[in-house]
Amino acid sequence: MTREFIAELHDIGKLVDKNSLKSHSLSGHTFEDFDFSKHNITKPSSPSWWGQYHHKIVIHEDINSWKDIDCTYKPDVFLLIIADHLASSISRATPQLKNAGESEGVLKLWNYEFYKNEKNRGKYWAAFKSKEDLKKLFEIIDIVSSPEDFLSQYHKHLILTPEDKSKPRNITSLYTHIELVGKIYRVLKRHCEIKTENVLELKLNGEAVKKIKDAEGSNRTEGNQNIDKGKWQARFVKCYIKYPHSFVRLQDINLIVKRNKLAEGFVAKYKDYVMFHTFDFISLFLPIGKELKEMFKDFLDNGFFIEYIETIADLGILRSNLDIKIIRARKNNKSDIIKVLNSRNTRVYRKILLPEMLDKIVPPICDICQINPGKERMKENIKEWICDKCYEVRESGESFEYPDEWQENKIVWFKFNLNTEKLENWLQKAFEKYVDTLLKNINSEEINNKKKAELKEKLKNEFRSLACQSDFVTDYKNMIKAFWEKANGLAKKPISNYDELGVFLYSGENVKKILETFLEVYNDYFPDCEGDAQSPVSLSLSISNIKYPIREHFRYFENPKGFLDIRSHNVFENTYTKEEIKWLMDKLSETERDSSHFLHKLIGLYDGLNSEVNITVEILNNKDRYPAIYNSMYSKFATSPEKILNFSRIIEEKDEINKA
Amino acid sequence: MKLIKLDLDIDSIIIGERVKGGIYRPCLETIPSSTVQGAFKNHLGLDLKGVGLFKTDTYEIKDITYSVKDKLLEVAKMPFTASCLFPKGKEKIKAVIYFVKADYIDKNIFRNLTLTIGALKSKGFGKAKVVGIEEVSPCIKQGLLNVRIYEDECDRFNITVLSPIYGYLFYPTNIVNGFYKRALFEGSLVRAPGVFLKEVTSYDE
């Protein structure tokens, strides 16, 4: 059996604890110069072994002049190095932040104590700590049969180990890094033509190169000279899966089941092209020419829209957040950046893939998708016009029904949301904050202020958020899984394998428990991500009578505004930050005990007069009598009394909302 | 290109999405070209092509339940709930309608005009008073569309489609008949007069 070159093994040396193997005088994390005979270890002979040379290659050197590497595997190493650069969280050209130190475990920008907590649970980053382990490492290079095999075997170590221990590069897990490197390597390999006549050269989109530097070009995005354009370009594409459908009946949410199935199929079919994905978002790395319409055909055939932002750039500057940088530069008319980007033929497109749509439709039109002719259907004496596709979706799969005991009651639909645009912005800011903290701690005698400022700017500009995004998304998925483990008896999942959506019978106690559970899991996974309007993660609650149309709950979920959005149909709509929720829940329960009747009086007043001024005056007048309410409303937040009262109403034991 | 801009004050309005059969009728948050055209035809007998939009933060969505009577059969039909736009706060809903300036249109005919736009007119919805008339010459910019307009009317408004989001708007052919015509929806990437955009962008074309 032919053994394959497994790119994921290139950084296996990063799982070695060198301090435990001092006698082996190991340096770096690759083993190309390791003295196998001295240590009586058999040298690996698999193709993957050549991945160990990825740091030995000088990027300006012609591939034909590379020494030591078997000619058959030179193209693999060539592509591996490019993939490694693309997947790195910070470009290779950025100088390390000397004196900032190293960290043993990975640092998650949204969970600073992650590694420490895992260590306290008895886990440890290193997988290879003894001579025997070292022997095993080389065996692994020889015997691992697939990338998945390696990733699953060493998962527990890979997620704790940083891709690079030096600060501030310690923010990406080795797991995500090598997973991305493997994917990018295989995409490049699949689309690259390897020419071996006379001299070895690699060709992508008709551009032949012999040096890595020629393929990538420089990593410069600004300045006015020595632009050094790369010959190879590729695309990062952010795809948002959307649908025009509005759900008429509860069974119509089967469309989400359909979307999830299609997404699963897509990810399985194009797994190497998919960098990471959520339920409605797919991030792709693609070579020029790979047709998106063909890739998303199944989605389009089922009436979904694909909105995408496509960035095309030289490999030297391509990164997942380059589109933001380009658009910002254009908006602010930054000529030094625009000039370089233009001369490197960098482009950003925003496009929408649509299903085939007729020029005109003779009525009726489908009630659900509103893009196809509808057919008359009759159910429960109600006439509907629904196209075949939407009807098939409605009738397919399991159909969720509200429990009998919920009938005639109020219910709460809720949805978790991860906003990938906010995520990119948040990660950039969180990284900048991290760099600022590190630089603040570096003694100014070691590095002068001017240099510090330059370094800071360079680090911030060079940040590539792709791997961090992937790690964040993994934690988000784990968080909502953990939520359901804790809240399973409390709420129902209308779609069994879809964790973002839930519904429960309304009561103040239930709302309180759901919010407490959300805060608990959020604090477990994202303790250092402020729960505010900038937070990539949010939760929306929509409270209504059980008969309220399902489509309106979904319309509300479409554009979350804050960290927690709450809407009680025809009563109020507010957003809350994490700090506000926690504080309100604590304070209001205290207030309840001391002065609940005054709080009820305020709610009644507000319902009657709808005036914040009136409420304010009432509270101030009773400041001495009910200090708890005065304190809870004015001492800490600039939160409006309306927001506080509304929050208080929904976590009440009694169904106060029914009164409204 | 010169546009006539009409500022409107509205008490409450329902511009229904096309779901006609259901017992819940959601409401649009934009004034499609089909609605504008219908309103002018009814009031002035003019075939004016226009588009409109509501000013954000001047309205909120609320529901009303309405019992319909079949006048022909003299029987009550199943009540339905419709979502409507109501003013947010004490001011009226603010909206604007744009149409292309033409020599044969005297803009004085719009002075103090009250149009009725949208559904449930007989119940008092949709009264829109013209409170301002202005001639504007907006610059053409790239951005995301904020209005709904028949695809074949884009040229008239100097809208160049870069990446469309299509949907359908009803196109009446006479008082009782019509068909659904393909239209450009909000969020389409276009080059258009800036007033039609919800966000100016700078993507490659």
Side-chain angles (χ1 to χ4, degrees):
Chain A
M1 196 181 78
T2 326
R3 288 184 295 176
E4 61 172 313
F5 181 92
I6 298 170
E8 282 82 349
L9 288 166
H10 75 287
D11 272 348
I12 191 172
K14 287 181 180 172
L15 292 177
V16 176
D17 186 352
K18 283 183 274 186
N19 289 332
S20 313
L21 288 158
K22 277 186 179 147
S23 59
H24 289 67
S25 11
L26 301 171
S27 66
H29 62 270
T30 50
F31 297 95
E32 72 278 13
D33 296 325
F34 185 73
D35 192 342
F36 286 92
S37 54
K38 184 180 164 192
H39 298 289
N40 197 22
I41 295 176
T42 314
K43 187 178 174 180
S45 61
S46 70
S48 304
W49 162 249
W50 301 107
Q52 293 302 306
Y53 286 77
H54 71 279
H55 279 311
K56 200 163 191 180
I57 305 301
V58 179
I59 58 169
H60 296 92
E61 199 178 344
D62 187 324
I63 190 169
N64 296 286
S65 321
W66 291 5
K67 293 189 179 71
D68 307 324
I69 303 177
D70 185 327
C71 275
T72 317
Y73 299 107
K74 277 184 178 179
D76 293 293
V77 178
F78 190 99
L79 298 177
L80 167 69
I81 293 168
I82 292 177
D84 194 22
H85 292 165
L86 275 164
S88 295
S89 59
I90 307 167
S91 161
R92 71 216 169 274
T94 308
Q96 283 182 313
L97 197 51
K98 284 178 189 162
N99 310 316
E102 289 198 338
S103 74
E104 186 179 289
V106 68
L107 182 130
K108 294 188 180 187
L109 290 168
W110 53 92
N111 186 359
Y112 273 49
E113 301 287 306
F114 167 73
Y115 180 67
K116 193 178 152 194
N117 293 337
E118 291 298 300
K119 210 173 166 184
N120 289 342
R121 289 185 191 120
K123 295 179 182 171
Y124 190 58
W125 66 274
F128 307 103
K129 292 175 282 189
S130 64
K131 191 178 173 185
E132 281 313 301
D133 285 345
L134 199 59
K135 267 188 187 168
K136 199 175 169 198
L137 180 150
F138 295 114
E139 277 169 30
I140 293 286
I141 293 178
D142 254 352
I143 62 167
V144 157
S145 59
S146 69
E148 294 78 16
D149 192 9
F150 174 62
L151 288 170
S152 61
Q153 266 191 62
Y154 287 91
H155 178 266
K156 63 179 180 184
H157 297 288
L158 290 167
I159 59 163
L160 298 178
T161 309
E163 170 209 346
D164 189 330
K165 285 181 187 293
S166 63
K167 296 174 184 175
R169 298 179 177 188
N170 55 334
I171 52 169
T172 309
S173 74
L174 187 55
Y175 183 93
T176 302
H177 171 69
I178 62 171
E179 192 188 31
L180 292 174
V181 170
K183 282 167 182 264
I184 296 170
Y185 156 80
R186 282 186 291 279
V187 171
L188 291 173
K189 177 104 194 251
R190 200 166 297 148
H191 294 272
C192 194
E193 203 184 319
I194 298 161
K195 304 193 79 179
T196 48
E197 305 110 38
N198 303 325
V199 287
L200 181 60
E201 56 180 17
L202 288 91
K203 214 171 177 181
L204 188 69
N205 295 312
E207 290 289 347
V209 295
K210 286 182 271 192
K211 295 174 190 167
I212 291 167
K213 182 76 181 169
D214 290 346
E216 294 178 328
S218 74
N219 65 342
R220 292 186 41 191
T221 52
E222 47 197 286
N224 49 21
Q225 52 183 332
N226 191 22
I227 284 156
D228 195 8
K229 181 172 169 16
K231 284 189 173 175
W232 285 8
Q233 288 204 315
R235 304 139 77 197
F236 258 120
V237 192
K238 297 170 183 171
C239 308
Y240 301 86
I241 306 164
K242 299 190 168 178
Y243 49 82
H245 306 60
S246 52
F247 304 139
V248 177
R249 290 176 183 272
L250 194 49
Q251 301 97 297
D252 296 332
I253 61 169
N254 277 339
L255 187 80
I256 293 172
V257 181
K258 184 90 188 170
R259 182 196 67 189
N260 294 354
K261 272 188 189 158
L262 288 170
E264 268 172 35
F266 184 96
V267 171
K269 187 173 176 185
Y270 298 108
K271 63 177 180 178
D272 287 332
Y273 298 97
V274 176
M275 297 291 99
F276 69 92
H277 67 101
T278 66
F279 299 99
D280 53 7
F281 174 83
I282 299 176
S283 162
L284 297 169
F285 171 75
L286 296 174
I288 308 290
K290 181 89 181 160
E291 196 51 63
L292 275 170
K293 195 154 191 174
E294 187 52 40
M295 292 174 82
F296 282 102
K297 188 176 178 302
D298 290 345
F299 283 97
L300 302 178
D301 288 347
N302 282 284
F304 290 94
F305 293 1
I306 306 296
E307 191 171 330
Y308 66 91
I309 294 171
E310 176 183 32
T311 311
I312 303 177
D314 292 354
L315 296 186
I317 56 169
L318 186 61
R319 65 193 72 173
S320 57
N321 51 357
L322 185 62
D323 57 324
I324 297 175
K325 185 170 183 166
I326 296 170
I327 297 300
R328 196 181 297 143
R330 287 177 182 170
K331 210 176 226 171
N332 300 328
N333 213 6
K334 297 262 183 192
S335 57
D336 54 334
I337 300 178
I338 296 169
K339 204 173 154 191
V340 176
L341 291 171
N342 287 347
S343 57
R344 298 192 74 162
N345 205 14
T346 315
R347 282 152 291 156
V348 187
Y349 298 105
R350 182 189 181 114
K351 289 182 183 171
I352 298 141
L353 297 172
L354 299 173
E356 292 298 325
M357 288 170 77
L358 301 166
D359 287 346
K360 67 174 190 178
I361 293 175
V362 176
I365 197 167
C366 175
D367 286 350
I368 298 174
C369 68
Q370 304 181 11
I371 57 169
N372 285 315
K375 277 187 188 170
E376 191 179 304
R377 325 255 174 189
M378 199 75 175
K379 198 177 176 185
E380 294 158 1
N381 279 337
I382 293 175
K383 231 184 243 179
E384 290 174 283
W385 289 271
I386 300 171
C387 71
D388 289 338
K389 277 180 193 164
C390 291
Y391 195 71
E392 189 193 316
V393 170
R394 177 183 282 186
E395 296 295 306
S396 68
E398 53 185 311
S399 78
F400 174 72
E401 281 178 15
Y402 297 122
D404 287 343
E405 61 271 25
W406 288 13
Q407 297 304 328
E408 309 304 322
N409 283 307
K410 275 188 183 289
I411 53 165
V412 186
W413 278 86
F414 63 97
K415 189 178 177 293
F416 293 99
N417 185 62
L418 174 64
N419 183 321
T420 46
E421 282 169 44
K422 279 188 184 175
L423 175 57
E424 283 184 342
N425 292 329
W426 186 87
L427 282 171
Q428 181 68 38
K429 287 206 173 85
F431 179 70
E432 290 178 5
K433 199 171 137 194
Y434 179 45
V435 170
D436 286 343
T437 317
L438 290 175
L439 280 165
K440 207 181 271 176
N441 295 335
I442 293 176
N443 194 332
S444 55
E445 283 167 18
E446 293 161 10
I447 176 172
N448 67 41
N449 284 341
K450 194 182 163 203
K451 184 111 180 138
K452 223 182 211 184
E454 278 171 12
L455 205 53
K456 193 197 286 190
E457 208 49 40
K458 193 160 189 185
L459 279 164
K460 289 176 181 178
N461 280 336
E462 288 297 331
F463 176 56
R464 298 183 181 204
S465 58
L466 177 66
C468 287
Q469 282 178 69
S470 182
D471 278 342
F472 193 101
V473 169
T474 307
D475 278 1
Y476 168 71
K477 288 177 183 168
N478 289 336
M479 181 200 81
I480 51 177
K481 245 189 199 89
F483 170 87
W484 281 106
E485 277 164 20
K486 290 173 195 277
N488 218 356
L490 206 61
K492 294 196 177 299
K493 266 202 267 186
I495 300 167
S496 58
N497 56 356
Y498 178 50
D499 292 334
E500 281 189 321
L501 190 67
V503 60
F504 62 92
L505 182 66
Y506 172 76
S507 80
E509 191 59 28
N510 283 352
V511 173
K512 203 172 168 186
K513 277 184 189 160
I514 288 288
L515 292 182
E516 278 167 354
T517 312
F518 170 52
L519 286 191
E520 190 185 333
V521 292
Y522 187 84
N523 287 332
D524 281 349
Y525 286 88
F526 303 105
D528 298 301
C529 178
E530 306 80 359
D532 54 20
Q534 279 72 47
S535 166
V537 177
S538 64
L539 173 68
S540 304
L541 262 61
S542 179
I543 308 168
S544 74
N545 186 283
I546 198 162
K547 303 280 186 209
Y548 187 61
I550 182 78
R551 78 171 78 209
E552 290 306 295
H553 291 293
F554 278 81
R555 175 136 84 164
Y556 179 63
F557 295 150
E558 269 172 23
N559 296 306
K561 295 183 186 86
F563 174 68
L564 173 71
D565 291 356
I566 303 178
R567 181 183 68 169
S568 177
H569 171 237
N570 267 357
V571 182
F572 74 88
E573 195 178 316
N574 283 132
T575 65
Y576 299 88
T577 65
K578 183 176 92 172
E579 212 185 340
E580 279 175 330
I581 308 164
K582 196 181 168 320
W583 191 78
L584 280 169
M585 286 210 287
D586 291 349
K587 287 288 171 189
L588 287 174
S589 55
E590 267 174 39
T591 312
E592 266 300 284
R593 281 195 302 273
D594 300 342
S595 41
S596 63
H597 70 279
F598 183 59
L599 200 58
H600 282 103
K601 186 185 168 190
L602 291 177
I603 292 170
L605 255 178
Y606 189 74
D607 283 343
L609 302 169
N610 200 18
S611 155
E612 281 203 16
V613 179
N614 237 293
I615 299 290
T616 312
V617 170
E618 194 65 22
I619 295 168
L620 289 170
N621 281 345
N622 290 280
K623 183 177 154 187
D624 298 330
R625 217 164 142 205
Y626 301 109
I629 290 185
Y630 171 76
N631 289 333
S632 65
M633 294 203 175
Y634 293 107
S635 64
K636 195 167 177 192
F637 294 107
T639 307
S640 71
E642 181 201 348
K643 271 177 79 173
I644 296 169
L645 292 176
N646 284 334
F647 194 86
S648 152
R649 292 205 290 198
I650 59 148
I651 60 164
E652 287 255 310
E653 271 301 323
K654 257 170 53 188
D655 186 359
E656 273 294 327
I657 289 170
N658 279 331
K659 289 181 183 172
Chain B
M1 186 184 62
K2 282 192 173 156
L3 297 170
I4 303 285
K5 177 188 169 209
L6 302 182
D7 290 302
L8 304 175
D9 273 3
I10 304 170
D11 287 325
S12 57
I13 190 167
I14 303 173
I15 299 178
E17 289 188 0
R18 283 168 316 283
V19 183
K20 303 226 185 276
I23 54 165
Y24 188 82
R25 309 194 179 189
C27 176
L28 284 179
E29 293 176 63
T30 175
I31 312 172
S33 56
S34 51
T35 308
V36 174
Q37 201 173 336
F40 283 123
K41 193 135 201 161
N42 283 342
H43 285 81
L44 301 169
L46 287 174
D47 189 16
L48 275 184
K49 316 280 186 196
V51 285
L53 43 98
F54 296 105
K55 288 189 181 163
T56 42
D57 292 332
T58 67
Y59 65 88
E60 57 189 349
I61 300 177
K62 287 184 180 170
D63 289 349
I64 58 142
T65 302
Y66 179 63
S67 233
V68 198
K69 192 176 170 190
D70 190 322
K71 285 176 186 160
L72 200 68
L73 299 172
E74 278 293 313
V75 288
K77 286 164 75 172
M78 177 141 18
F80 66 81
T81 303
S83 62
C84 343
L85 304 189
F86 282 100
K88 194 175 191 177
K90 287 173 186 160
E91 297 291 312
K92 303 212 176 214
I93 301 170
K94 303 279 178 197
V96 279
I97 286 179
Y98 295 97
F99 56 88
V100 181
K101 191 193 168 195
D103 292 338
Y104 66 91
I105 303 168
D106 174 7
K107 56 183 186 182
N108 286 320
I109 59 169
F110 303 109
R111 207 164 297 282
N112 296 321
L113 178 71
T114 300
L115 298 162
T116 39
I117 303 174
L120 288 184
K121 295 182 186 90
S122 59
K123 305 297 159 201
F125 284 92
K127 281 204 171 63
K129 190 171 182 201
V130 177
V131 291
I133 307 164
E134 203 183 329
E135 218 174 277
V136 290
S137 306
C139 295
I140 302 291
K141 291 174 181 168
Q142 188 204 79
L144 303 178
L145 195 64
N146 198 22
V147 294
R148 291 187 176 191
I149 182 168
Y150 294 124
E151 191 186 10
D152 57 11
E153 284 178 5
C154 287
D155 283 351
R156 186 191 300 267
F157 287 94
N158 246 347
I159 297 174
T160 312
V161 182
L162 301 174
S163 192
I165 295 180
Y166 288 130
Y168 292 91
L169 293 176
F170 192 72
Y171 185 83
T173 45
N174 58 42
I175 198 152
V176 282
N177 292 318
F179 58 89
Y180 291 101
K181 206 166 163 185
R182 200 161 70 181
L184 214 56
F185 273 32
E186 308 96 293
S188 299
L189 185 69
V190 293
R191 288 190 68 77
V195 291
F196 298 154
L197 304 176
K198 66 174 162 192
E199 187 188 326
V200 174
T201 58
S202 44
Y203 293 101
D204 287 285
E205 294 175 10

